Amino acid sequence: MVVMRQEIGDVLRDVRQLQGRTLREVSSAARVSLGYLSEVERGQKEASSELLASICDALDVPLSRVLREVSDRVAVAEGILPQIPDTIPADFMQGMLARSDRSATKRDVAREDLAPVG
């Protein structure tokens, strides 16, 4: 059975880690406690729509993109594979790269792993 809070948390964690940001940085920007954000990322807490919007804003990623990724993951779990593209949309990846460029001094990212597709 798919647990939505787990999928949402996984996507949020993936985005944060792709950006090379810490829980502390994102929790501060989202104005949510570090512990609560950690619980959301681990799928232990259900995030309200307002909290999700705040976290997405702190990550500089549209809520719709996060929800689309969650939807795609749920579809895969349900066995609905043919309707899901096997690439990351180029505009989403460009947004992620732009965000990571602003934080480049904080980490070492292998750019070949982040090349936009499509």
Side-chain angles (χ1 to χ4, degrees):
M1 177 173 73
V2 176
V3 179
M4 290 298 293
R5 70 176 181 266
Q6 183 67 52
E7 296 299 329
I8 290 169
D10 287 347
V11 170
L12 292 173
R13 184 183 325 100
D14 290 348
V15 170
R16 179 181 59 77
Q17 289 177 339
L18 179 64
Q19 293 176 359
R21 298 179 65 196
T22 66
L23 274 169
R24 186 172 309 281
E25 290 170 336
V26 176
S27 69
S28 177
R31 297 182 182 226
V32 62
S33 76
L34 177 70
Y36 197 83
L37 178 58
S38 175
E39 288 179 313
V40 168
E41 281 192 1
R42 288 181 283 135
Q44 295 177 336
K45 293 287 185 185
E46 295 274 355
S48 69
S49 57
E50 292 86 358
L51 180 62
L52 282 175
S54 181
I55 295 168
C56 288
D57 187 50
L59 291 168
D60 198 27
V61 63
L63 176 60
S64 61
R65 299 290 181 161
V66 170
L67 295 177
R68 181 184 305 160
E69 176 65 22
V70 169
S71 176
D72 289 350
R73 290 178 184 210
V74 170
V76 168
E78 293 173 337
I80 306 173
L81 300 175
Q83 299 173 358
I84 299 172
D86 61 352
T87 59
I88 299 171
D91 58 334
F92 177 74
M93 202 61 213
Q94 288 169 351
M96 297 299 294
L97 288 171
R99 177 67 181 172
S100 67
D101 286 344
R102 290 192 295 266
S103 304
T105 60
K106 297 180 182 176
R107 75 210 177 294
D108 181 25
V109 176
R111 289 291 175 215
E112 62 273 5
D113 292 341
L114 300 176
V117 294

